[in-house]
Amino acid sequence: DMELNVLKGAQKFIERNRPVFYLEANGTHAPIIEHLKDYDCYWHFPPLADGENFRGNTDNIFGTVLKVSHNLLCIPSEIPCECGLPKASRTDDMIEVRRKVYEPFGLT
């Protein structure tokens, strides 16, 4: 819920500058999407462990279960976006959306 508080505190800046946001949404995403009414939001599920990290550490402390962060890419609606990510809505079940994204790869 801290993300929403930051967005509310920066409302005038957002209205004036129309920035792109990349936000963690592991908790409740609906209020964020509702607050950014004139933005298009897209789901992004990056893995928490990736061997191609800065230090090249391949040790996955999260085990064999697919562990991802639930994030939102939020782009002002006047900017066309063909990012290939699933569009987010406030009514989404983010776990179900994530499952659909990863099922073609044999992951859930």
Side-chain angles (χ1 to χ4, degrees), residues 63-92:
T64 58
V65 175
L66 177 65
K67 298 286 186 174
V68 297
S69 183
H70 299 92
N71 299 334
L72 290 171
L73 174 63
C74 305
I75 301 174
S77 57
E78 67 271 13
I79 298 174
C81 177
E82 294 184 28
C83 60
L85 298 172
K87 195 160 186 183
S89 77
R90 55 187 182 77
T91 59
D92 283 344

Side-chain angles (χ1 to χ4, degrees), residues 9-83:
Q11 188 59 41
K12 288 184 181 179
F13 175 87
I14 294 168
E15 290 169 0
R16 186 175 51 248
N17 297 290
R18 306 295 287 154
V20 171
F21 294 99
Y22 185 72
L23 307 167
E24 183 180 64
N26 287 332
T28 306
H29 63 281
I32 293 171
I33 294 172
E34 183 66 33
H35 184 75
L36 295 171
K37 293 177 199 142
D38 54 347
Y39 273 68
D40 293 325
C41 299
Y42 302 88
W43 286 114
H44 184 235
F45 306 110
L48 296 177
D50 183 349
E52 295 183 25
N53 56 58
F54 177 75
R55 299 205 185 269
N57 184 350
T58 58
D59 184 26
N60 179 359
I61 63 170
F62 300 104
T64 58
V65 175
L66 177 65
K67 298 286 186 174
V68 297
S69 183
H70 299 92
N71 299 334
L72 290 171
L73 174 63
C74 305
I75 301 174
S77 57
E78 67 271 13
I79 298 174
C81 177
E82 294 184 28
C83 60

Side-chain angles (χ1 to χ4, degrees), residues 94-107:
M94 70 178 116
I95 303 300
E96 186 58 33
V97 175
R98 183 193 80 196
R99 187 173 290 123
K100 288 177 184 174
V101 167
Y102 282 107
E103 273 180 351
F105 304 102
L107 305 167

